[in-house]
Amino acid sequence: MKLPAERQAQEEEDAGEQKTPLWIFGYGSLVWRPDFEFSSRKVGFIRGYSRRFWQGDTFHRGNDKMPGRVVTLQEDYDACTWGVAYEVRGEQIAASLQYLNMREAVLGGYDTKLVKFHPQDKEADEPILALVYIATPQNPTYLGPASEEDIAAQIIVSSGRSGHNIEYLLRLADFMRYFCPQVEDEHLFSIEEALVSILPCLCQAEEPLVEV
């Protein structure tokens, strides 16, 4: 079932118009690698959701035997999640939706919702309606909650076709530090801290024995 924004985009495409822009909110790898054409982008946040490394990934950042951990959103009335909203226009709309439906929702278990996006720049007076993809517990690779230490340990040993799971975590943490320095993402930074504390132990364990 399509959301109103998706239906409108499809109707305008069928009519050969596509005048209304569509905004797409990214909160995971989309913040640094959208991989679709867009007209503009804005850093900002949505309210009512918290970002969690509860979604398994057996393709981009893991495999069937060793799934990686990527983020999804959980409803959380008092929380807000920072990310990037991309404005797509004209032919960009159909192309971006087709790409995201393959990238984000090909396995099922994803919801698409319209959310109010609040841009970081002070010139924007009103929030912008944006489309967001959210993995649900019905997703076949959904993993659910775990301790920060367990999530970090899983990330360290996972990699997929888009690269190592560590890169995914560190890029997301870097985005938050560089573009949202005033925001403390406790879940994200706690996992990063746990990962950094585990890595030296692994390196020492893998050092070859030196004969005397």
Side-chain angles (χ1 to χ4, degrees), residues 7 16 27 42 60 84 93 139 161 181 186 195 197 199:
R7 285 200 301 269
Y27 54 90
K42 293 178 180 289
H60 294 290
V84 177
I93 296 176
N139 188 292
R161 299 189 186 186
E186 183 177 352
L195 180 142
S197 68
L199 278 177

Side-chain angles (χ1 to χ4, degrees), residues 38-93:
F38 56 90
S39 297
S40 66
R41 55 175 280 169
K42 293 178 180 289
V43 174
F45 64 90
I46 62 173
R47 299 187 190 275
Y49 293 92
S50 56
R51 175 170 39 214
R52 292 290 181 265
F53 275 82
W54 291 359
Q55 174 59 31
D57 186 339
T58 59
F59 186 84
H60 294 290
R61 300 291 175 172
N63 55 55
D64 291 332
K65 294 182 178 179
M66 204 170 287
R69 284 258 183 180
V70 294
V71 292
T72 186
L73 296 180
Q74 296 293 310
E75 291 189 4
D76 186 345
Y77 180 79
D78 295 323
C80 65
T81 294
W82 284 76
V84 177
Y86 297 92
E87 180 190 24
V88 289
R89 292 177 171 272
E91 295 180 355
Q92 295 174 344
I93 296 176

Side-chain angles (χ1 to χ4, degrees), residues 110-150:
Y110 272 84
D111 280 345
T112 51
K113 295 185 177 182
L114 281 176
V115 294
K116 290 183 178 180
F117 171 78
H118 301 264
Q120 185 181 51
D121 61 81
K122 297 179 180 179
E123 296 179 359
D125 296 325
E126 297 292 333
I128 300 167
L129 278 181
L131 185 70
V132 63
Y133 288 77
I134 303 174
T136 69
Q138 287 69 46
N139 188 292
T141 56
Y142 185 83
L143 296 175
S147 70
E148 281 80 5
E149 292 76 16
D150 287 345

